[in-house]
Amino acid sequence: MKLPVRSLLAIRSASTAVASAENAVPASVPAATLSSEFFDHIRHQVYGDLKKVDKVVVSVRTEDKAQPVLVNRNVSTSFHCFNHISKHFADDAVLVEVHPSVGGAYFSSVNQPLQDQAEIRKIGFDSAEDVNLVNDAYWRSCSLVTAAFLKEALDVDVDFRFPRGNIENGYFSVDVKGLNGNVFTLDELNTINRFGKSYIREEKQFEVIAVPTSVAEASGIHGDHLVRIGRQVFSTDGPCINSTRQIGRFTIFRSKSSGKSVIVGGVSIPMKQPTSSYSWSLVAKNAVQKFSKNA
Amino acid sequence: MSAHRVAVSLPRIGVTIGHAPQKLKTGGIEPSRRARLEVLRRIVTRTVREERAELKWNRAVEARPYLERLIQLGVERGPLDEYTAEMMEWWLPEKDLITKMHEVIVPRFQDRDSPFTSLFRLPPQRLQQFIQNKREVWKRYDIGVLEIDGNPFPQIQADRVDQSESILDVLLADALRNHQKNLQEKLDTPKKSQ
């Protein structure tokens, strides 16, 4: 039985969403119900009380100099630091390389709070270095955005798994559980795409929390990052892009049945890398072919 | 005669010389050889002063060889040469530009061969051609940018950065590869009628 078109755009009465990680759930700790309130709880647990303000100096490294910025510990993010340079500098940031005063360097999302004195460096789509990290972050973010607007669009209670994919596959995919194997028709896909594009145009932020291992094990989180997009929360295993503003061309082209779940495939190109309609049609057609072959 | 003797001893300039001289007109002077030289002189003077001039394409193409030759005279024969001094005085009526030419521009190219200038084409632009009574006449012109190399301004053409690993390039390269593969398979497949 196909899902009726009318039910696709019905907004769920519940404001929270449930998502599960791709890995198997251990028997000892049940999987956490990921909701916006749970996200706030974990953030409070990791970063402490937001009302307490501690200042910390963060050095923003640009091409020719390092500019110190005074920000709030555990509250301010790298995005706020980049905003001190310029708005365009902050908007173009996809990831950030953090060199803390204590410990080793690591890559994080731009919207992840800073916990200590550090030196940060912006990584964008045009960065010659760390291209693979940027590509993986973008591909991961597209999957999460797809799950977020599908969660809001569908009337049924669904769970999501995120198959590990990379850009060489030509498409990203989301495993949707709860549809009983009913794939989307062409009309439903068109409706979903319209809703998805309007969702992306709202420029929703990717709020990211780096969850320590102890907190993740105690809370039943399967992944080292929690991401909130609007009111939807997901667990993931890496950083994400800044916001949906950085997503350019985007389409969900097909869905296929896999047992009782439905795998939804899509393809996207960043806003910073514009292309012609012909090139985009080639990319989308190739993604459809590869998605169909992997059935 | 001295100009021909000097020109023979100089190396050939490295820019294209237009085979069809343009009729360059300017207000107040009848179109003639003299008027053409006046237009070129003003362009060369402006380019030496500003080091980057945006002007009509045909004028930029026409003025570039003269600017090249002027710089070449300074590089090859130096400021003490009589012919070079004469040419500098004529092409650069403003005396401070002669000093700038010998002390700023020529030292840049001491260890370098021609060309010393660059020419870029900009998109066509609609400019006011003339005003007749109260009627304005506009016309589309090809625009060019003539600049002396080594100028302090940001470069017009950005450096070509390798973007082969960007998301768009990876997706598009894979799409084109598969598209080519599909076309080849269609060609290799025998036709149904045969």
Side-chain angles (χ1 to χ4, degrees):
Chain A
M1 177 181 177
K2 306 288 185 181
L3 284 180
V5 177
R6 295 180 181 177
S7 63
L8 290 178
L9 294 181
I11 306 299
R12 287 173 50 84
S13 57
S15 61
T16 60
V18 179
S20 59
E22 58 184 336
N23 299 324
V25 179
S28 59
V29 181
T33 301
L34 302 180
S35 63
S36 187
E37 291 76 19
F38 180 76
F39 185 90
D40 292 330
H41 171 70
I42 294 296
R43 180 162 63 179
H44 183 273
Q45 196 172 350
V46 173
Y47 298 120
D49 190 3
L50 297 182
K51 297 181 179 178
K52 185 179 180 182
V53 177
D54 290 329
K55 294 296 184 181
V56 68
V57 176
V58 175
S59 179
V60 179
R61 192 199 304 171
T62 56
E63 289 182 358
D64 52 351
K65 63 179 181 178
Q67 180 170 332
V69 178
L70 187 65
V71 294
N72 300 327
R73 184 198 303 264
N74 292 331
V75 176
S76 299
T77 64
S78 301
F79 182 81
H80 300 133
C81 300
F82 294 149
N83 255 334
H84 283 275
I85 308 296
S86 72
K87 183 179 184 300
H88 293 287
F89 189 82
D91 288 339
D92 289 343
V94 178
L95 295 176
V96 59
E97 184 183 7
V98 182
H99 295 263
S101 56
V102 178
Y106 60 94
F107 297 94
S108 74
S109 300
V110 179
N111 291 323
Q112 185 174 319
L114 295 165
Q115 293 180 284
D116 203 354
Q117 183 176 346
E119 185 184 64
I120 60 176
R121 177 177 69 90
K122 185 192 86 168
I123 301 173
F125 286 112
D126 52 356
S127 298
E129 307 168 358
D130 309 309
V131 176
N132 293 327
L133 286 176
V134 172
N135 294 349
D136 291 341
Y138 184 79
W139 224 232
R140 186 182 302 115
S141 303
C142 290
S143 300
L144 294 173
V145 165
T146 303
F149 70 76
L150 281 179
K151 189 69 176 180
E152 293 199 5
L154 298 178
D155 195 20
V156 296
D157 193 8
V158 291
D159 292 340
F160 297 97
R161 289 178 179 269
F162 302 97
R164 182 173 294 275
N166 51 48
I167 194 174
E168 281 76 23
N169 294 343
Y171 63 91
F172 59 84
S173 60
V174 179
D175 192 347
V176 185
K177 294 183 177 301
L179 298 178
N180 296 322
N182 296 319
V183 299
F184 300 127
T185 62
L186 287 181
D187 291 337
E188 291 166 347
L189 281 177
N190 290 334
T191 307
I192 287 173
N193 274 306
R194 284 201 300 270
F195 181 78
K197 288 173 184 175
S198 65
Y199 187 89
I200 289 170
R201 279 197 296 267
E202 293 173 3
E203 298 186 6
K204 296 184 181 298
Q205 298 286 322
F206 285 77
E207 300 178 67
V208 179
I209 297 174
V211 184
T213 306
S214 58
V215 176
E217 290 175 352
S219 304
I221 300 170
H222 305 288
D224 53 2
H225 288 80
L226 274 185
V227 181
R228 179 164 67 178
I229 310 170
R231 294 287 298 176
Q232 314 304 327
V233 178
F234 308 98
S235 62
T236 182
D237 56 354
C240 299
I241 61 176
N242 186 3
S243 69
T244 58
R245 177 178 181 164
Q246 295 180 329
I247 297 176
R249 291 185 185 261
F250 182 93
T251 185
I252 300 297
F253 48 76
R254 193 168 288 187
S255 65
K256 60 185 180 183
S257 179
S258 175
K260 288 190 175 181
S261 62
V262 173
I263 300 177
V264 180
V267 68
S268 178
I269 287 176
M271 181 71 77
K272 279 285 274 186
Q273 298 173 5
T275 186
S276 63
S277 298
Y278 177 71
S279 301
W280 169 246
S281 66
L282 281 180
V283 169
K285 185 179 177 182
N286 181 58
V288 173
Q289 290 178 357
K290 298 187 86 172
F291 184 76
S292 302
K293 286 181 181 178
N294 290 337
Chain B
M1 292 303 294
S2 61
H4 291 286
R5 293 197 193 99
V6 170
V8 169
S9 65
L10 292 172
R12 185 179 178 87
I13 59 174
V15 301
T16 304
I17 300 176
H19 58 278
Q22 304 291 306
K23 280 189 175 181
L24 305 178
K25 304 174 184 178
T26 185
I29 302 179
E30 290 294 325
S32 62
R33 290 174 179 268
R34 180 65 184 181
R36 178 172 173 275
L37 287 178
E38 283 294 334
V39 172
L40 294 174
R41 178 159 71 166
R42 279 192 282 178
I43 294 172
V44 168
T45 303
R46 178 187 166 194
T47 307
V48 170
R49 179 169 292 284
E50 300 178 3
E51 297 193 38
R52 175 180 285 176
E54 184 177 317
L55 59 162
K56 297 172 186 176
W57 174 256
N58 65 332
R59 296 186 173 210
V61 171
E62 197 74 12
R64 189 184 182 194
Y66 295 93
L67 182 57
E68 284 279 338
R69 180 66 84 186
L70 197 63
I71 298 175
Q72 190 184 57
L73 283 173
V75 171
E76 298 289 337
R77 302 180 73 89
L80 301 180
D81 181 68
E82 183 180 349
Y83 180 75
T84 301
E86 182 183 352
M87 289 295 105
M88 291 291 179
E89 286 181 3
W90 195 90
W91 284 98
L92 305 173
E94 302 168 24
K95 301 307 175 186
D96 61 316
L97 294 182
I98 300 177
T99 306
K100 178 180 179 181
M101 175 65 84
H102 288 305
E103 295 184 358
V104 176
I105 296 176
V106 167
R108 285 183 206 162
F109 309 113
Q110 288 292 343
D111 301 324
R112 180 175 161 178
D113 295 330
S114 184
F116 311 115
T117 59
S118 299
L119 181 60
F120 301 97
R121 183 189 283 265
L122 295 185
Q125 196 172 344
R126 191 165 173 262
L127 301 176
Q128 188 183 77
Q129 191 178 15
F130 60 87
I131 300 176
Q132 192 177 49
N133 294 330
K134 293 184 178 179
R135 185 170 64 95
E136 296 180 356
V137 178
W138 296 71
K139 191 179 177 183
R140 287 177 66 87
Y141 291 98
D142 292 332
I143 306 296
V145 176
L146 178 61
E147 66 172 14
I148 300 175
D149 292 346
N151 61 76
F153 304 113
Q155 53 187 355
I156 292 177
Q157 272 188 347
D159 293 332
R160 191 174 183 87
V161 182
D162 182 18
Q163 294 282 343
S164 60
E165 294 183 354
S166 67
I167 295 171
L168 174 60
D169 274 29
V170 171
L171 293 176
L172 194 54
D174 187 57
L176 290 173
R177 194 180 307 115
N178 291 334
H179 185 64
Q180 183 72 17
K181 184 180 176 182
N182 292 335
L183 289 179
Q184 193 64 39
E185 288 177 354
K186 287 182 180 179
L187 289 176
D188 294 340
T189 304
K191 294 182 180 179
K192 293 181 179 179
S193 58
Q194 297 177 358

